[in-house]
Amino acid sequence: MHAIRVAAVVDVTEAEGPGARFAVWVQGCAIRCPGCCNPHMFDPAAGTPVEPGELLARLDRVRDQVEGVTLLGGEPFEQAVALAPFARGARERGLSVLAFTGHLIEELRAGNPPGAPELLAQLDLLVDGPYRADLPETRRRWAGSSNQRFHFLTERHSPGVETVRAGGPDRVVELRFGPDGTVRRSGWPED
Ligand code: SF4
């Protein structure tokens, strides 16, 4: 089984999709959108290789605290072959799976990158399209720019869940302070 090249994992976050989620930032992205907020995740040789089963074991420790998994990065579909078994395992555990990609869904359905249709088949929600710094998103949660599209691939999440409403939940930014003094920001701007 292929290992997943991982840049970061947050066990429980409310900043990366509907509800509380287990978020996996993968390492490596060849798309390289100008203005990307995660350029340190471009290099496919960096990060840490993690077996899908190992990641599922980590997910199991917080299974009762999350309603889904979010895959982002980096470019998840550059690791579609390795991520598909992890995504399948998450769904077998009753969790929803959301992925952010800089590719378009039409490319993914056509098999580009390799293994993309198999990963796509495990998703409930896909946010697609490259980040466009000239088109900042102001109305929808989780998307970075207004060209990006939400594809509801199953009935697990309802269209409109991404829309910020008056009096409702707004866009969320989370800050995590590490024991070594590092600060990790997630939620916005994002993939
Ligand atoms: S925004 Fe996403 S697709 Fe674009 S360069 Fe950054 S990680 Fe890659």
Side-chain angles (χ1 to χ4, degrees):
M1 194 168 284
H2 293 76
I4 304 162
R5 201 100 197 161
V6 172
V9 175
V10 172
D11 290 331
V12 183
T13 172
E14 295 188 9
E16 306 296 354
R21 312 189 72 82
F22 182 89
V24 180
W25 284 260
V26 300
Q27 182 69 37
C29 180
I31 299 175
R32 307 197 172 192
C33 311
C36 170
C37 65
N38 286 333
H40 56 293
M41 297 182 191
F42 286 174
D43 180 2
T48 307
V50 181
E51 293 295 329
E54 204 180 323
L55 206 51
L56 285 168
R58 179 165 173 171
L59 172 61
D60 281 336
R61 293 202 284 274
V62 294
R63 164 67 191 86
D64 294 343
Q65 301 172 49
V66 296
E67 73 168 81
V69 164
T70 296
L71 307 175
L72 66 174
E75 173 50 56
F77 280 87
E78 288 177 17
Q79 301 193 56
V81 172
L83 280 172
F86 171 70
R88 188 179 310 114
R91 290 181 98 191
E92 286 168 358
R93 287 160 171 77
L95 299 171
S96 78
V97 182
L98 154 64
F100 291 88
T101 179
H103 292 280
L104 300 178
I105 195 170
E106 293 82 0
E107 298 174 87
L108 303 177
R109 285 182 169 142
N112 178 33
E118 289 73 21
L119 177 56
L120 204 50
Q122 301 303 326
L123 300 184
D124 298 289
L125 179 55
L126 176 78
V127 183
D128 78 346
Y131 173 66
R132 290 272 308 270
D134 59 325
L135 298 173
E137 176 61 65
T138 57
R139 189 179 54 83
R140 300 174 302 170
R141 290 183 280 167
W142 313 311
S145 55
S146 61
N147 61 300
Q148 294 172 324
R149 302 175 296 180
F150 283 71
H151 300 277
F152 294 86
L153 303 172
T154 69
E155 294 181 353
R156 180 77 186 237
H157 298 291
S158 303
V161 69
E162 76 281 19
T163 306
V164 175
R165 294 186 178 81
D170 208 335
R171 299 180 68 146
V172 173
V173 176
E174 289 181 353
L175 298 176
R176 285 184 183 74
F177 300 91
D180 56 353
T182 57
V183 180
R184 170 177 293 283
R185 182 180 65 179
S186 57
W188 185 86
E190 58 194 336
D191 204 350

